[in-house]
């Protein structure tokens, strides 16, 4: 996504540096458009280095690329943080006396303004009217937070934290409201490794991508998210709390502890069904002339079934995943239905997997079943789109 990050001249401009990093780490191209005054607080080299794009404040710079029109036209999202009283006034008046206000006039994508100023300025009738005008025009204006301001004084006027601004901004593009705001969710992702000796393990092909996208989607929709990540190497979305684990036993402990105050637990991790009875403390050596040492296995605890049996919290919604290949005993969905009934989770997300399907790829296709095995939803698309479809199915159960 192409994002324009406007920065107006306020002390909170330093927080926009963190916001820029979050948006970049989330994989977006960000063009920073500061006002002249913003550069008094944070200089051009910082913005250019962190965005990797040229930075100008004026409509008369980079005239050859008609920057004052192009930047706004090409944007998928515009975020201004901090938006000062002056910036709000100029935007409300439809002025175009610098690159940022010109961009705001051209942009037809979602626009989010995050004001920050002293309480007196925020509460002044001029600012109140300007905010009303902008909101009437469909511009999203966040309310500033109450708290310590630049001087010793406190009151409404603080810029919200960069994570919150990023979540609110990205939610605009995904066209969803913060329908998971105030909810705590736990998502497990990745594949467990059951150690045989210090260098070997029994593992599986799960990359954790679907679980990560579930975490991202929930975070975008306002939830507080804990991701219990088993051997995940893919980048994790900013703002998501990560607990890294390796074995099924560690995953079980982490999920149980995080589930204590969670509204929803989604078990997207591929947990080993069996683990070696013993883990050798030293590397198992090949014995010349002797065949391989058999590895004795024992069944692991089914974490999902345990959550269903003894939910640590009243009304908690538990969602399982079923990765199926289908076989002579039934197709993917038949296996899924049986598993839904057997596991008893509120929802079971069934997907077809195989060497070339499901694992690590960007797309997924799933059927969501209820505890009786009846179809609740179907979704196909990117793993993020599938994740949103899963949360859409969870919402009515909350
Ligand atoms: N699961 C779990 N704990 C385990 C094994 C699986 O919590 N020890 C969870 C997975 O996270 C997933 C669901 O159970 O949400 C289904 O996992 P899957 O491997 O498809 O099912 P199994 O019960 O292992 O059935 P089978 O291997 O026979 O298909």
């Amino acid at each position: 996504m192409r994002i324009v990050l406007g920065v107006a001249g306020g002390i909170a401009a330093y927080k926009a540096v963190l916001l820029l990093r979050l948006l970049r780490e989330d994989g977006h191209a960000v063009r920073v458009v500061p006002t002249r005054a913003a550069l008094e607080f944070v200089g051009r080299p910082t913005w250019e280095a962190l965005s990797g794009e040229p930075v100008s404040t004026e409509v008369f710079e980079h005239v050859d690329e008609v920057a004052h029109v192009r930047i706004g036209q090409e944007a998928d999202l515009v975020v201004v943080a901090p938006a000062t009283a002056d910036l709000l006034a100029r935007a409300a008046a439809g002025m175009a006396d610098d690159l940022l206000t010109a961009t705001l006039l051209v942009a037809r994508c979602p626009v989010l303004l995050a004001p920050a100023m002293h309480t007196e300025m925020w509460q002044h009738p001029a600012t109140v009217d300007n905010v009303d005008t902008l909101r009437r025009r469909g511009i999203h204006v966040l309310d500033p937070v109450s708290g310590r301001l630049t001087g010793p004084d406190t009151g409404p006027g603080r810029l919200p934290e960069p994570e919150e601004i990023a979540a609110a901004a990205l939610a605009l593009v995904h066209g969803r409201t913060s329908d998971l705001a105030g909810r705590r969710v736990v998502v497990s992702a990745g594949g467990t490794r059951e150690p045989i000796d210090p260098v070997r393990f029994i593992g599986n092909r799960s990359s954790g991508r679907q679980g990560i996208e579930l975490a991202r989607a929930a975070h975008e929709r306002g939830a507080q998210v804990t991701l219990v990540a088993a051997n995940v190497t893919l980048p994790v979305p900013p703002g998501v709390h990560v607990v890294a684990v390796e074995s099924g036993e560690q995953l079980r402990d982490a999920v149980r502890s995080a589930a204590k105050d969670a509204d929803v637990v989604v078990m997207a991790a591929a947990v080993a069904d069996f683990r070696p009875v013993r883990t050798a403390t030293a590397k198992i050596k090949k014995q010349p002339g002797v065949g391989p040492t058999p590895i004795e296995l024992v069944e692991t605890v089914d974490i999902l079934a345990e959550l269903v049996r003894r939910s640590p919290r009243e009304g908690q919604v538990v969602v399982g995943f079923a990765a199926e290949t289908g076989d002579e005993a039934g197709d993917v969905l038949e296996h899924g239905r049986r598993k839904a009934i057997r596991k008893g989770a509120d929802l079971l997300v069934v997907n077809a997997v195989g060497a070339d399907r499901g694992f690590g790829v960007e797309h997924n296709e799933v059927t969501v079943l209820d505890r009786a095995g009846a179809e609740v939803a179907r979704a196909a698309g990117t793993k993020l789109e599938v994740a949103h479809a899963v949360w859409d199915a969870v919402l009515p159960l909350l």
Side-chain angles (χ1 to χ4, degrees):
M1 187 154 64
R2 281 209 67 81
I3 301 178
V4 171
L5 174 59
V7 186
I11 188 86
Y14 76 91
K15 285 194 187 173
V17 177
L18 303 175
L19 177 59
L20 168 58
R21 291 203 69 146
L22 289 178
L23 297 172
R24 293 284 295 136
E25 282 167 11
D26 212 28
H28 306 292
V30 185
R31 174 89 182 220
V32 182
V33 184
T35 63
R36 257 156 273 152
L39 295 185
E40 299 282 334
F41 294 92
V42 178
R44 196 187 299 253
T46 304
W47 302 120
E48 288 190 338
L50 291 177
S51 68
E53 301 209 20
V55 165
S56 44
T57 59
E58 307 304 318
V59 290
F60 298 111
E61 293 173 46
H62 304 293
V63 178
D64 54 328
E65 58 165 6
V66 208
H68 71 291
V69 179
R70 277 260 292 276
I71 294 175
Q73 279 174 340
E74 289 173 1
D76 300 306
L77 171 69
V78 177
V79 189
V80 182
T84 55
D86 179 68
L87 188 278
L88 294 174
R90 290 191 293 131
M95 290 172 77
D97 54 350
D98 62 6
L99 189 56
L100 180 53
T101 46
T103 299
L104 287 171
L105 276 186
V106 173
R108 293 293 175 270
C109 59
V111 175
L112 179 83
L113 307 180
M117 62 197 75
H118 267 82
T119 306
E120 292 84 343
M121 289 184 169
W122 174 246
Q123 291 174 343
H124 192 284
T127 307
V128 171
D129 281 354
N130 289 334
V131 170
D132 282 349
T133 302
L134 290 163
R135 284 182 174 156
R136 229 180 18 253
R137 289 181 194 149
I139 302 238
H140 299 267
V141 185
L142 286 182
D143 281 322
V145 182
S146 264
R148 176 90 195 270
L149 301 170
T150 316
D153 44 348
T154 57
R158 261 170 75 99
L159 190 71
E161 291 311 309
E163 288 83 2
E164 273 171 62
I165 301 173
L170 294 172
L172 291 183
V173 183
H174 295 293
R176 287 180 174 85
T177 46
S178 298
D179 51 11
L180 290 173
R183 302 291 186 177
R184 286 169 199 266
V185 312
V186 178
V187 179
S188 72
T192 60
R193 290 179 178 182
E194 308 305 327
I196 298 169
D197 69 12
V199 293
R200 303 177 180 99
F201 56 82
I202 299 172
N204 61 68
R205 300 167 71 101
S206 175
S207 66
R209 196 185 291 274
Q210 185 60 70
I212 288 175
E213 296 306 314
L214 280 158
R216 188 193 310 280
H219 178 63
E220 280 173 9
R221 293 166 80 150
Q224 219 172 305
V225 186
T226 299
L227 181 72
V228 179
N231 309 295
V232 169
T233 53
L234 293 168
V236 169
V240 167
H241 175 63
V242 182
V243 183
V245 297
E246 282 188 32
S247 67
E249 195 59 21
Q250 289 169 352
L251 189 122
R252 178 180 174 221
D253 289 345
V255 166
R256 274 159 52 113
S257 143
K260 280 195 193 107
D261 52 10
D263 301 295
V264 189
V265 182
V266 182
M267 283 293 299
V271 186
D273 289 331
F274 301 97
R275 63 174 171 79
V277 174
R278 279 171 300 276
T279 302
T281 49
K283 188 181 169 197
I284 300 171
K285 303 299 280 182
K286 201 166 48 210
Q287 312 268 6
V290 183
T293 326
I295 300 166
E296 201 186 330
L297 300 177
V298 58
E299 205 169 322
T300 56
V301 176
D302 188 325
I303 307 164
L304 181 68
E306 191 178 56
L307 280 171
V308 171
R309 253 194 341 267
R310 291 188 266 129
S311 176
R313 199 182 148 133
E314 186 79 14
Q316 186 171 72
V317 177
V318 178
V319 182
F321 266 69
E324 304 290 349
T325 58
D327 56 22
E328 57 286 350
D331 64 14
V332 168
L333 212 51
E334 284 162 355
H335 277 288
R337 288 216 172 85
R338 273 177 237 145
K339 197 171 282 182
I341 296 164
R342 177 158 50 84
K343 295 256 179 179
D346 297 288
L347 296 174
L348 189 77
V349 184
V350 184
N351 68 322
V353 292
D356 57 346
R357 280 198 297 187
F359 296 119
V361 298
E362 302 276 349
H363 283 72
N364 205 0
E365 207 176 315
V366 304
T367 306
V368 184
L369 305 177
D370 66 14
R371 63 171 75 227
E375 192 172 315
V376 176
R378 256 171 204 258
T382 63
K383 286 188 171 172
L384 181 61
E385 284 162 348
V386 166
H388 277 299
V390 172
W391 290 118
D392 288 344
V394 168
L395 264 182
L397 306 180
L398 286 170

